[in-house]
Amino acid sequence: MVSISEIRNSITNLGPNLVGVFVGGTSGIGEATAREFVRHAQAPRVYLIGRSREQADRLITEFKTLNEEAQTHFIQSDVSLLRNVDEACKEISAKEEKVNLLVLSAGVLTMKGRDETPEGLDKKLSLHYYSRMRFTTKLLPLLRTTSTSQPPLARIISVLGAGHEGALDVSDLSLRNPGSYSLSTAANHAISMTSLTFQHLAADPANKNIGFVHSDPGGVDTNIVRNLGGVMQKVLAVAGKLILKPTGLVVDAKESGERHVWTGTDERFGSGLHRVGPKGEKAGEKVFGQLREKGDEERVWGHLEEVFGKVGGGGKFEG
Ligand SMILES: NC(=O)c1ccc[n+]([C@@H]2O[C@H](COP(=O)([O-])OP(=O)(O)OC[C@H]3O[C@@H](n4cnc5c(N)ncnc54)[C@H](OP(=O)(O)O)[C@@H]3O)[C@@H](O)[C@H]2O)c1
């Protein structure tokens, strides 16, 4: 465990001219991480990616007051579609020669069943896994450039659920078949495939100076329950106020933002795969180890290449 006071002391000077891309930076953990990055970096350039222009405008104004040398740009995009991810990455690549920090936290909390996008992927699975891996692979060239520049910082963080990996249905990784999709299989697949894909990318010698972080943020006080609606949303809001926050089971977004800036910049996460728990600890290895022993890393990578091959060409993934 790493205490928040230790983290606060260590992130006070992140260095000059860093470029940070925050996919899901218009709210919650992504917003809080972008804010702490802006607060502690010198003349950073920041890209917030999300759908809400109103939220982004508010943050652009606020960030200027936190750090007048910071430049914050907004890319409005529904990133559940991989073709939109490609457009966003094109826009960033046209403006920047390097990216230092890529924080991936776009996501939703819904009880909905499979909800297929025009690209043939489930929307939630896309937001939590496919879209994030598309950002990763498309921006890797700019992160590789960074790892040899000053300061030599190149880091990718996916904020999801390290340590909560579960068994994969390897015959149906995108959970298309009737009966395959449930809240728990969708969570297992997104979490396990993230760890396995990051492991695969981290092992590539071309990425040897890039840190791949899969984080479990634990309970964080954000507005993620807004899509639940109905009784569930109300119950969680009351439980949050009366139980989860007072007992410390949920931390405020600022602390989570500070913790993610720390994993995004501390040299101990500088290369390889890091699966990090809510308090900066190493996430449990057991299930992840079992998945690797079964050869699921190669299976998942093959599947991702197949999906990118079909969807990347403007097509639809049909299993
Ligand atoms: N909060 C927690 O306690 C907790 C715990 C464990 C794991 N997590 C995971 O952490 C991640 C972030 O959670 P959070 O609490 O920060 O959630 P949040 O406050 O709801 O923020 C989610 C972000 O995702 C963006 N987003 C959602 N759908 C999008 C779409 N189709 N296209 C583009 N952007 C989209 C939202 O931006 P727009 O609204 O502007 O589109 C927003 O910036 C999620 O994956 C969640 O599962 C959270």
Side-chain angles (χ1 to χ4, degrees):
M1 173 180 150
V2 183
S3 73
I4 191 62
S5 54
E6 184 184 328
I7 285 174
R8 284 182 181 145
N9 286 334
S10 74
I11 60 170
T12 51
N13 184 359
L14 302 178
N17 304 316
L18 297 174
V19 178
V21 175
F22 298 86
V23 184
T26 52
S27 174
I29 299 167
E31 169 189 335
T33 307
R35 179 180 290 109
E36 298 311 316
F37 180 75
V38 164
R39 199 192 305 279
H40 298 296
Q42 295 158 32
R45 289 195 298 288
V46 166
Y47 291 84
L48 302 176
I49 304 176
R51 292 162 304 174
S52 171
R53 183 171 292 282
E54 197 185 333
Q55 275 284 98
D57 285 345
R58 180 180 65 75
L59 294 172
I60 288 169
T61 306
E62 183 204 333
F63 287 0
K64 209 67 199 164
T65 66
L66 288 179
N67 182 342
E68 63 177 21
E69 289 181 323
Q71 289 175 33
T72 307
H73 306 277
F74 176 51
I75 300 178
Q76 187 174 36
S77 181
D78 175 351
V79 300
S80 64
L81 293 176
L82 302 191
R83 58 173 176 256
N84 292 347
V85 174
D86 291 355
E87 283 306 310
C89 292
K90 235 188 244 170
E91 193 174 331
I92 294 166
S93 305
K95 289 184 182 147
E96 301 293 344
E97 288 175 353
K98 61 159 189 164
V99 167
N100 295 98
L101 178 61
L102 172 61
V103 179
L104 302 158
S105 68
V108 283
L109 180 63
T110 65
M111 306 299 251
K112 232 180 175 178
R114 196 170 192 281
D115 179 12
E116 188 164 301
T117 70
E119 295 178 335
L121 299 169
D122 168 61
K123 188 169 181 179
K124 183 157 68 173
L125 211 43
S126 180
L127 282 170
H128 290 175
Y129 174 66
Y130 297 103
S131 158
R132 296 183 186 198
M133 296 306 125
R134 189 71 175 178
F135 271 107
T136 298
T137 53
K138 286 280 163 179
L139 293 178
L140 265 176
L142 296 191
L143 280 128
R144 288 184 188 133
T145 311
T146 310
S147 60
T148 53
S149 69
Q150 280 306 319
L153 173 68
R155 201 75 49 88
I156 303 171
I157 305 178
S158 186
V159 182
L160 198 61
H164 298 282
E165 288 84 358
L168 289 169
D169 177 352
V170 292
S171 66
D172 185 16
L173 287 169
S174 74
L175 300 173
R176 287 184 65 79
N177 299 336
S180 291
Y181 191 96
S182 70
L183 292 181
S184 72
T185 56
N188 279 353
H189 276 226
I191 292 169
S192 299
M193 293 200 292
T194 297
S195 290
L196 294 166
T197 305
F198 273 4
Q199 173 65 51
H200 185 87
L201 290 168
D204 182 341
N207 300 328
K208 69 178 191 307
N209 296 319
I210 300 175
F212 292 84
V213 178
H214 179 186
S215 100
D216 168 19
V220 184
D221 184 14
T222 68
N223 200 14
I224 195 162
V225 294
R226 66 186 172 284
N227 294 308
L228 281 174
V231 179
M232 189 62 118
Q233 185 168 338
K234 286 186 186 133
V235 168
L236 279 177
V238 173
K241 210 167 170 182
L242 298 181
I243 306 166
L244 302 176
K245 283 189 237 169
T247 52
L249 289 171
V250 162
V251 299
D252 60 37
K254 182 174 193 295
E255 171 168 338
S256 186
E258 290 166 325
R259 288 189 175 278
H260 284 95
V261 164
W262 174 72
T263 46
T265 53
D266 192 274
E267 61 187 17
R268 77 188 77 179
F269 304 107
S271 70
L273 169 71
H274 301 272
R275 297 163 52 262
V276 181
K279 299 290 178 202
E281 75 280 17
K282 202 171 166 196
E285 287 282 337
K286 194 171 164 207
V287 177
F288 179 53
Q290 289 166 352
L291 295 171
R292 291 193 68 202
E293 270 167 30
K294 278 171 38 200
D296 285 352
E297 182 182 323
E298 288 310 316
R299 282 191 194 97
V300 165
W301 181 253
H303 166 70
L304 188 65
E305 285 191 314
E306 194 188 348
V307 169
F308 284 178
K310 292 205 172 134
V311 177
K316 182 173 176 185
F317 182 68
E318 289 176 301

